[in-house]
């Protein structure tokens, strides 16, 4: 078998077109464009790529883009003061503080300072709790983007054995909650898991988000499984690769996401969806 490609790039373009149509309607009714504030502290090159992609996406769909590129020396006090100001600004519907932050800034403190109503990343404990209690408000973008990609492809999740590899707050844990809400049977694996290959081999759907290039081997994949690769790793030669060995996994899977062009563009499309949702509710 050779898997079908889950074309995140194309599906994200579809989502952005839907968003753009709704923004156009808002503007015709003299409503504010959805406004997204993106705060970048310091000069992490991967973060700069992501922030650039996000700015381009905002422009394409007609959002107002408020960019704050702050020096690495910015104090936590100053960052919290900026968040307080943006929480009060009616032109700003969504606030995103790019992670990772420099070591002298505590990310939990920063995330909790963002108004849950403007937390378009879905990282605030309030929004994680809403998802965990099956009353989602603003869901974390990467897992929710994966759900949108699967739904738009017509893939039914109810009753599937889903295995999530990686237990981070931003990918693995909310991915489990999303899949549970879709009625999958969910297993989560992490660095203390015994016999990871055997767990992955049981999966009808496997989602990998660990940040280790080619960590999941193609011969672990159950024939016919759906493979979602959340990893985006830059290799020494400048090329990108995922957390799954792509060619060998593709030979066994029924569906697989490429890297790049898979989950990454869906994350950004979901960020735009979340920001539009806040604007439409205000
Ligand atoms: N507060 C916060 N929210 C985030 O959502 C967040 C973050 N911090 N920190 C970093 C990670 C990473 N991330 C990416 C999203 C899209 C692409 C993306 O668009 N990737 C493209 C192209 C990648 C490239 O060309 O380098 C692709 O996969 O096809 C990449 C990375 C969001 N993150």
């Amino acid at each position: 078998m050779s898997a079908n490609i889950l074309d995140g790039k194309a599906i994200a373009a579809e989502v952005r077109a839907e968003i753009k149509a709704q923004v156009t309607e808002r503007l015709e009714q003299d409503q504010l464009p959805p406004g997204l504030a993106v705060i970048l502290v310091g000069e992490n090159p991967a973060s700069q790529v992501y922030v650039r992609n996000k700015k381009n996406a905002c422009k394409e769909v007609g959002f107002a883009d408020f960019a704050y590129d702050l020096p690495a020396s910015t104090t936590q006090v100053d960052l919290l003061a900026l968040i307080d100001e943006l929480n009060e600004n009616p032109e700003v519907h969504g606030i995103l503080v790019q992670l990772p932050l420099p070591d002298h800034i505590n990310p939990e403190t920063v995330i909790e300072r963002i108004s849950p109503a403007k937390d378009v990343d879905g990282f605030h404990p309030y929004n994680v709790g809403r998802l965990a209690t099956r009353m989602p408000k603003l869901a974390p973008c990467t897992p929710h983007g994966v759900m949108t990609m699967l739904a738009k492809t017509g893939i039914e999740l109810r009753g599937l054995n889903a295995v999530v590899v990686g237990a981070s707050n931003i990918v693995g844990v909310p991915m489990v909650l999303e899949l549970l809400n879709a009625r999958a049977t969910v297993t989560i694996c992490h660095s203390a898991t015994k016999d990871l290959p055997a767990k992955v081999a049981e999966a009808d759907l496997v989602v990998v988000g660990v940040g280790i290039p080619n960590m999941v081997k193609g011969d672990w994949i159950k024939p016919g499984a759906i493979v979602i690769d959340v990893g985006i790793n830059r290799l020494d030669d400048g090329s990108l690769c995922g957390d799954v060995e792509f060619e060998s996994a593709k030979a066994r899977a029924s569906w697989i996401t490429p890297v790049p062009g898979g989950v990454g563009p869906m994350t950004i499309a979901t960020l735009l969806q979340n920001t539009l949702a806040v604007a439409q509710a205000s």
Side-chain angles (χ1 to χ4, degrees):
M1 186 186 293
S2 180
N4 298 298
I5 297 295
L6 279 160
D7 187 346
K9 197 173 167 186
I11 299 170
E14 237 178 78
V15 171
R16 290 196 305 274
E18 292 163 14
I19 293 169
K20 189 174 178 170
Q22 293 195 60
V23 174
T24 304
E25 248 179 68
R26 278 181 71 84
L27 297 178
E28 282 166 4
Q29 294 163 3
D30 288 322
Q31 293 170 300
L32 285 173
L36 177 61
V38 176
I39 305 173
L40 177 59
V41 185
E43 278 157 23
N44 181 312
S47 290
Q48 286 170 331
V49 170
Y50 170 59
V51 168
R52 183 170 10 92
N53 289 354
K54 187 241 38 129
K55 282 178 189 162
N56 292 339
C58 275
K59 200 168 167 189
E60 180 191 326
V61 299
F63 282 16
D65 172 24
F66 300 81
Y68 296 86
D69 292 343
L70 308 179
S73 60
T74 303
T75 65
Q76 180 166 308
V77 168
D78 285 349
L79 178 58
L80 295 177
L82 173 60
I83 292 169
D84 290 343
E85 188 188 310
L86 296 170
N87 281 338
E88 297 300 321
N89 183 341
E91 292 179 35
V92 172
H93 300 96
I95 303 169
L96 178 154
V97 179
Q98 185 70 20
L99 302 177
L101 285 162
D103 288 343
H104 66 278
I105 298 179
N106 182 313
E108 284 84 25
T109 305
V110 169
I111 288 167
E112 289 210 273
R113 192 67 159 247
I114 298 170
S115 165
K118 294 190 178 187
D119 166 41
V120 288
D121 262 328
F123 292 169
H124 191 291
Y126 172 82
N127 283 315
V128 179
R130 293 291 306 203
L131 181 62
T133 49
R134 300 184 165 86
M135 301 182 283
K137 285 239 161 120
L138 291 169
C141 295
T142 297
H144 196 69
V146 169
M147 299 307 282
T148 302
M149 179 160 58
L150 293 168
K152 283 194 175 272
T153 308
I155 292 172
E156 176 68 58
L157 298 175
R158 186 173 178 276
L160 293 192
N161 288 332
V163 172
V164 176
V165 184
S168 68
N169 287 343
I170 64 174
V171 176
V173 168
M175 191 76 247
V176 164
L177 298 174
E178 290 276 8
L179 291 167
L180 183 62
N181 291 346
R183 314 278 299 127
T185 300
V186 194
T187 302
I188 186 160
C189 301
H190 44 75
S191 55
T193 295
K194 290 178 201 162
D195 202 354
L196 180 63
K199 300 287 185 211
V200 171
E202 290 175 3
D204 303 311
L205 167 70
V206 57
V207 182
V208 186
V210 291
I212 304 171
N214 302 318
M215 192 252 219
V216 168
K217 307 301 174 201
D219 64 6
W220 302 359
I221 302 296
K222 177 174 166 177
I226 303 153
V227 177
I228 308 292
D229 192 347
V230 180
I232 302 178
N233 307 290
R234 192 165 297 277
L235 302 181
D236 290 338
D237 69 359
S239 66
L240 293 179
C241 82
D243 293 346
V244 178
E245 239 181 31
F246 183 77
E247 288 303 333
S248 54
K250 183 171 180 267
R252 293 168 73 97
S254 60
W255 290 96
I256 190 166
T257 59
V259 179
V263 175
M266 293 304 301
T267 298
I268 296 185
T270 308
L271 175 68
L272 300 175
Q273 279 182 324
N274 281 350
T275 306
L276 176 66
V278 176
Q280 298 289 54
S282 72

